[in-house]
Amino acid sequence: MLIDGHLDLAFNALNGRDLTLPLEALRAADPVADETATVSLPELRAAGVRVCFGTLFALPHGAGSPGGYSDHAGARAQALAQLDTYHRWQDAGLIRLLRSREEVVAHLRGGDDATGVVLLMEGADPIRDADDLPFWTERGVRVIGPAWGRTRFAGGTDAPGPLTPLGRDLVQAMRDLHVTLDASHLDDASFWEALEIGPQVIATHANSRALVPGNRHLTDDMARAVAQAGGVIGLVFLNRFIRPLPEGSVDPVPLGELAAHARHYASLVGWEHVALGTDLDGGFGAEKTPAGVDRYMDVPAFLNDLPAEARDGVAGSNWARWLTHRL
Ligand SMILES: [Zn+2]
């Protein structure tokens, strides 16, 4: 059994990918250029994924994304379209949205009829303000990462800064409504301020800054803080997050180098806090994944580079324990 802490399923669907197809058929009809797809819903099931965290990810306006949002209304529209996509997949019996630990327990006990999806908002700009949080929780959002780059709520990747007043209000409301904080993408200043407020915390997709510089990755102190709060950290299968590489690099990186991130985390906080957060469909394709990972079904090969006693936990049981006790 695999559990993946981070996939951008609906974002890909809104980019025109039909994720209901087997991967070969998706690739044959893929409208996304320059990124060889590695993820589809049948591919996840064939690989043994029982649950994943599925994002609502609104893409901001920028050089590489002229169609992205430039205000809250634009971000909200993107997230609502993605939410609708998850609901259509659920209506078709392809996925099952999981909103509570009880639903996770029932899902994991039941047959392998659909992939469980925990809704995770990556970048909080679709949320107007703290008073708008219940709108999203009522629709199933259980985890929120306030940042991606900078948002109205927080400093983020390559955009340093603390929580904004809106961000402090949002994290307080998350704590009060039992919505988990995803620490991935938070700049250090925002990270420490958010943890001080005391929400439940995980890092759905974040490698180690001890091995790759930059504020996208967790320092040792951050990893310890996530683990001390009972959280789990998901490992990202993107080459330039495994070894320092320029952004466009397609140099092959051995899969075993990702295991170094896993072992480093384990040395700090123990294997029970280390898991998968592949992000395999997060704006990159097989060109930028580790050698030997051409498609999602290759993900389990990663486990061979880990100590035998750590494999089940990293594959899925560490996320399963968190989901069944803390979601
Ligand atoms: Zn991300």
Side-chain angles (χ1 to χ4, degrees), residues 83-131:
L83 185 65
D84 188 53
T85 300
Y86 286 110
H87 280 282
R88 281 190 289 105
W89 285 334
Q90 177 164 256
D91 291 346
L94 298 170
I95 68 165
R96 177 177 296 115
L97 294 174
L98 304 175
R99 293 157 299 187
S100 67
R101 60 192 77 163
E102 292 80 10
E103 289 183 358
V104 175
V105 169
H107 174 76
L108 292 176
R109 278 202 191 123
D112 180 22
D113 56 331
T115 306
V117 175
V118 177
L119 286 181
L120 151 69
M121 186 181 284
E122 178 172 30
D125 275 339
I127 302 174
R128 186 189 63 236
D129 55 29
D131 291 341

Side-chain angles (χ1 to χ4, degrees), residues 32-321:
V32 179
D34 306 326
E35 292 173 16
T36 301
T38 58
V39 174
S40 77
L41 295 175
E43 177 79 3
L44 293 178
R45 295 211 35 216
V49 176
R50 293 299 316 279
V51 179
C52 68
F53 293 68
T55 63
L56 302 178
F57 169 67
L59 185 67
H61 179 83
S65 53
Y69 72 83
S70 46
D71 58 14
H72 160 248
R76 185 173 191 274
Q78 285 189 45
L80 287 175
Q82 292 176 19
L83 185 65
D84 188 53
T85 300
Y86 286 110
H87 280 282
R88 281 190 289 105
W89 285 334
Q90 177 164 256
D91 291 346
L94 298 170
I95 68 165
R96 177 177 296 115
L97 294 174
L98 304 175
R99 293 157 299 187
S100 67
R101 60 192 77 163
E102 292 80 10
E103 289 183 358
V104 175
V105 169
H107 174 76
L108 292 176
R109 278 202 191 123
D112 180 22
D113 56 331
T115 306
V117 175
V118 177
L119 286 181
L120 151 69
M121 186 181 284
E122 178 172 30
D125 275 339
I127 302 174
R128 186 189 63 236
D129 55 29
D131 291 341
D132 192 32
L133 181 60
F135 173 91
W136 295 98
T137 58
E138 283 160 17
R139 283 155 185 79
V141 174
R142 305 304 306 132
V143 183
I144 297 172
W148 184 62
R150 185 186 314 285
T151 64
R152 291 179 296 116
F153 299 92
T157 297
D158 299 329
L163 295 179
T164 65
L166 273 180
R168 284 192 290 277
D169 286 352
L170 178 65
V171 175
Q172 282 163 12
M174 287 168 59
R175 177 195 62 203
D176 296 345
L177 291 182
H178 188 68
V179 178
T180 296
L181 178 86
D182 182 1
S184 317
H185 287 286
L186 282 175
D187 178 56
D188 299 44
S190 287
F191 175 97
W192 292 112
E193 209 175 337
L195 262 70
E196 186 91 353
I197 292 169
Q200 181 150 267
V201 60
I202 58 178
T204 64
H205 61 318
N207 291 350
S208 171
R209 204 184 301 181
L211 300 170
V212 181
N215 82 339
R216 176 62 185 85
H217 315 290
L218 299 179
T219 66
D220 291 356
D221 282 345
M222 289 165 135
R224 286 191 194 96
V226 171
Q228 270 161 22
V232 168
I233 304 169
L235 298 162
V236 188
F237 281 53
L238 171 60
N239 285 343
R240 69 185 177 87
F241 286 8
I242 296 171
R243 170 200 290 190
L245 290 171
E247 175 140 10
S249 170
V250 290
D251 289 356
V253 170
L255 190 51
E257 283 192 32
L258 180 58
H261 289 259
R263 281 193 297 271
H264 182 73
Y265 280 148
S267 75
L268 298 172
V269 298
W271 283 106
E272 63 273 25
H273 296 282
V274 184
L276 300 176
T278 67
D279 203 16
L280 267 182
D281 58 356
F284 59 96
E287 296 78 8
K288 297 182 179 178
T289 57
V293 180
D294 177 58
R295 56 191 293 171
Y296 201 96
M297 272 199 280
D298 298 325
V299 165
F302 167 66
L303 303 167
N304 298 332
D305 290 316
L306 305 181
E309 68 277 13
R311 288 175 193 159
D312 281 356
V314 174
S317 60
N318 290 337
W319 274 132
R321 189 186 59 249

Side-chain angles (χ1 to χ4, degrees), residues 9-42:
L9 301 174
F11 175 78
N12 279 268
L14 270 290
N15 278 341
R17 283 178 164 165
D18 183 355
L19 296 196
T20 69
L21 297 174
L23 188 66
E24 294 81 1
L26 189 160
R27 284 182 172 178
D30 194 350
V32 179
D34 306 326
E35 292 173 16
T36 301
T38 58
V39 174
S40 77
L41 295 175

